[in-house]
Amino acid sequence: MESFGGPTKKNDRLFPSDRLWLWLCGFAPTHRRTTQTYVEGKGLYDGTVGGEGEGTSTRNTQTDAHSSSYDVVVIGGGHAGAEAATASARTGARTLLVTQNKSTLGELSCNPSIGGIGKGHLVREIDALNGAMGEVADASGIHFRMLNRRKGPAVRGPRAQMDRDYYKDNMQRLLLNREENGMENLEILEASAEDLLLDEGVGIETLAPLADPSDVSEAFAEEGNGAERVRLEKAKALSSAKANQSNRQARIRGVVAIDTNTKERIEIESKAVVLTTGTFLRGVLMIGHDRYSGGRHLRDSEEVEPPSVGLALTLERFGFPLGRLKTGTPARLDGRTIDWDSCNIQPSERPALPFSHVRQSRGEEPPLAAVGRLIDCYQTSTNEATHKMVMDYAHLLPQYDGMDGKGNGPRYCPSIYKKVERFAERSSHNSFLEPEGLNTDIVYPNGMSGPYPEEIQLKIFRSMKGLGNVEIVRPGYDVEYDFVNPQVLTHTLETKKIAGLYLAGQICGTTGYEEAGAQGIIAGANAGRAAGAASRDESPPVPFVLGRDEAYIGVLIDDLVTKGTSEPYRMFTSRAEYRISLRADNADLRLTRKGAEHGLVTDPERLAALDMRETMIGQNIDRLRNFKLFVTDWAKRGGNDLMGGAAANRPGRESHKKSAEEVLGMPNVSLKMVEQIMADVIQEEGSGQVDNDESTEEMIMTPSSVYDTVEASVKYKSYVIRQEKDIESWRKAQGARIPPGIIYDHSIMPTFSKEELEKLNQFKPSTFAEASQISGITPQSLVYLYHHVSKMNKESRRKKRESLAASGSSQ
């Protein structure tokens, strides 16, 4: 492993010979120099990408003539746009991705990392649906960790540090190598989307309808599916075309764009549009008191990408509820000026776990990890001197449009000023120093965003351990932008006001690459399926909607469209009431077949990998279920702690047997411990040392590709049953009232987050149904609150009975 700042070696044989890995990771068997060809008057580039060494991409001369008509147009080439475009194309829809500058496709605008707690679950789910993010992250990853490893499998989150250049180039290769990646239907246009082409009219019919509830019921009835599936699909289909017809004021007919190169006005017809504007919708950039229009700065440049104003005005004209949110990116530091020895090292894990389910099924590490090209990250922290400067110079921070000039930023990724203000009792906050790539000295100081004037940013950084002589390469800045309250969307992410218009990403009020990509794949799939079917004169397809019990993507979208959001939404495992079942390790088991049913997953290897994993998981669990030993034997071989302490040797226990599955379900017992005992027993049986009446075969340890899933499936079996009971009791209680005098305080409700207590005190819900509609209140907290209120009511009734009894006896 090489630490940051150490030598990097170039090796033409870094990766296996698998063709997909070669082009995705930037290497080809033979290098070729190619040229870029421009289609006169259209600004459209098209074709494959050829390798020319590490971290570079070039376009070849093959292009197609630009069409003026498509099934779907995706506006914006960020993470939501990339997933929407690829999902739409894979459904068979002729798709155009419109982006201002193709060289910025796949850009990691802020943090050079993918995944994390909750976010890592989303990446695995995107990958299970054949999305792009997981595969590209694997190919570009230079530092891997599983967060929350000491906790249960449900809350463990895979996270990886990216080489920013590799990630951008690999994403561009994926988008541009159309034929190799099953996306012959995808084209890319360099242009700025200025407005929407619309047919207006109240209740107007969409050009790209999705199926209606009655259609879904009849279709499933014909296929002989169960009544429960019909009921669920019928509920999901409420997001269909006719269900929202009375809300419609217009329908999509296309897009008006300005060619980036020629400045020519272009009208592009389409049946559906996916809007993924990110931070560009009336975006304003800020450093100190300086304000200037833009969606973001170009990397390594003072140049900014222009904001989207025309689209914002159109949304405003149709009465979309717009608000202002902000986000920020910290300064980039020169790694050569950091005292690394003064910081705490954070090495990458080995072996590194991939995001890709296909690669995991092969038992392979991500490519750069496989050849040892990993970096170390480091940790430093703020101190009291830092905090004093943060507060002393607060008057130099920008004046925002939102929240009376304070700005409405992400609660869980706050600026350093918000951290110091909100947690005044703390004397320090951690900051992780994350190198941005193998071939650069630029470092990203995670957790240190703050748009002070550049000279103040430098003072703040130099007050921190290891950064006394640091130099800033580029100052940090904030961006404030418009977003649409997502309650105007259906669960397909289609707007209720304009038929055929889908929104995804930060325009819906979320923050983070992973949340954006998750929305993009749902919006793109629905737009592509609907528009593609309409173009082929086929029946409207069933909406592609994931339930809260099926995926974190389902939780994310349901939270947004039912509760809305008043601040940038970030995914956490605590937001999911089914989180025990929605683990990162089983995303493919939950979603890949559904993706195949809806035309998203067509790769034979991915489906074969799923079949193999399902078979292996079933076989290993059956083996655990069928292997049995006396309780005393388990305790003798694994220690009393394995069987619950001294109770293992109580009289009568010697005649009681337990299966390996039952033993694994006990606390502090790992699959590795159980299988080692099983292996020992089997070996002894083979040598005649023991006589076991259970039939056994040669012991093969559970492979790494299914280890986590086998262990979690067994350990969580009883918890899943209890989880279902808790959720069912909560559903029945939603109409119950909450006492008006209830006190929301951490001392009374220690499991509640600061956000939850703050919002409950603000809104004072009178019923549990009202409480469930407050953004940020988790299902677990609602169940806790229900039990708390039930206990209060029970205590109140007891006191009333005692009072009545006392008054009766005195008479």
Side-chain angles (χ1 to χ4, degrees), residues 501-575:
L501 177 63
Y502 295 77
L503 307 184
Q506 284 175 286
I507 192 174
C508 298
T510 58
T511 180
Y513 308 145
E514 301 82 2
E515 290 86 349
Q519 295 169 72
I521 203 167
I522 298 299
N526 282 297
R529 283 164 53 77
S535 291
R536 297 185 296 268
D537 292 326
E538 297 173 355
S539 300
V542 175
F544 181 55
V545 177
L546 298 175
R548 299 182 67 94
D549 59 333
E550 294 176 298
Y552 274 91
I553 297 176
V555 174
L556 165 70
I557 292 175
D558 187 63
D559 278 352
L560 291 173
V561 303
T562 60
K563 299 180 181 180
T565 186
S566 58
E567 61 190 31
Y569 177 104
R570 177 179 176 179
M571 177 51 66
F572 287 104
T573 53
S574 60
R575 296 190 189 274

Side-chain angles (χ1 to χ4, degrees), residues 634-636 638-646 648-649:
W634 282 113
K636 177 182 177 182
N640 283 343
D641 290 341
L642 187 73
M643 296 306 302
N649 295 307

Side-chain angles (χ1 to χ4, degrees), residues 123-405:
V123 180
R124 286 277 177 86
E125 291 179 352
I126 291 170
D127 183 78
L129 295 172
N130 209 19
M133 184 175 286
E135 191 68 60
V136 175
D138 278 351
S140 315
I142 54 177
H143 184 277
F144 293 82
R145 290 182 73 85
M146 178 65 75
L147 305 185
N148 275 350
R149 185 172 288 281
R150 295 182 181 180
K151 298 184 179 180
V155 295
R156 293 174 190 161
R159 183 183 188 273
Q161 185 79 11
M162 300 294 106
D163 181 302
R164 289 182 73 185
D165 290 327
Y166 279 14
Y167 190 92
K168 182 174 72 170
D169 292 340
N170 289 332
M171 182 62 79
Q172 290 178 21
R173 288 185 173 93
L174 184 110
L175 294 172
L176 295 170
N177 279 12
R178 297 161 44 198
E179 294 183 1
E180 288 187 25
N181 300 301
M183 292 180 289
E184 297 87 349
N185 299 312
L186 177 61
E187 296 178 23
I188 300 176
L189 171 68
E190 280 189 323
S192 176
E194 294 297 306
D195 209 344
L196 303 173
L197 292 175
L198 301 168
D199 292 326
E200 299 188 29
V202 176
I204 191 169
E205 291 187 5
T206 178
L207 295 175
L210 289 163
D212 299 296
S214 57
D215 298 334
V216 175
S217 299
E218 291 171 5
F220 283 136
E222 290 175 2
E223 293 175 11
N225 291 283
E228 180 65 11
R229 185 176 179 188
V230 173
R231 185 186 69 79
L232 290 172
E233 293 294 342
K234 184 175 180 178
K236 293 173 184 177
L238 291 175
S239 54
S240 68
K242 291 181 183 177
N244 292 293
Q245 190 164 350
S246 61
N247 296 312
R248 281 201 214 102
Q249 301 173 27
R251 71 183 177 196
I252 285 293
R253 187 167 55 83
V255 170
V256 178
I258 304 297
D259 185 282
T260 298
N261 300 287
T262 67
K263 310 306 178 188
E264 176 189 3
R265 184 181 186 274
I266 309 170
E267 289 193 2
I268 306 165
E269 293 184 353
S270 69
K271 293 180 173 60
V273 169
V274 183
L275 202 54
T276 68
T277 52
T279 61
F280 284 74
L281 208 61
R282 282 199 286 222
V284 176
L285 305 176
M286 307 175 194
I287 300 178
H289 290 164
D290 292 339
R291 293 169 57 97
Y292 43 101
S293 295
R296 67 181 173 191
H297 273 278
L298 288 171
R299 184 147 56 110
D300 301 323
S301 173
E302 291 299 316
E303 186 180 349
V304 301
E305 295 182 81
S308 176
V309 177
L311 291 170
L313 294 174
T314 296
L315 294 174
E316 200 168 54
R317 179 166 70 88
F318 280 91
F320 281 85
L322 299 176
R324 297 289 277 177
L325 297 178
K326 80 173 183 75
T327 188
T329 188
R332 301 308 196 268
L333 308 180
D334 186 340
R336 296 168 299 183
T337 62
I338 295 175
D339 179 6
W340 297 102
D341 292 336
S342 298
C343 303
N344 300 321
I345 192 170
Q346 187 184 46
S348 176
E349 290 185 348
R350 294 299 307 268
L353 292 178
F355 288 108
S356 164
H357 292 93
V358 173
R359 184 169 281 115
Q360 187 179 15
S361 72
R362 296 172 182 163
E364 297 169 348
E365 289 189 273
L368 290 169
V371 295
R373 299 200 72 197
L374 296 175
I375 61 159
D376 296 319
C377 292
Y378 292 81
Q379 179 258 323
T380 182
S381 59
T382 60
N383 51 58
E384 292 180 352
T386 312
H387 294 184
K388 185 176 187 305
M389 277 190 281
V390 165
M391 300 308 292
D392 286 349
Y393 292 113
H395 63 284
L396 298 178
L397 288 169
Q399 290 294 307
Y400 303 92
D401 297 327
M403 294 186 68
D404 299 322

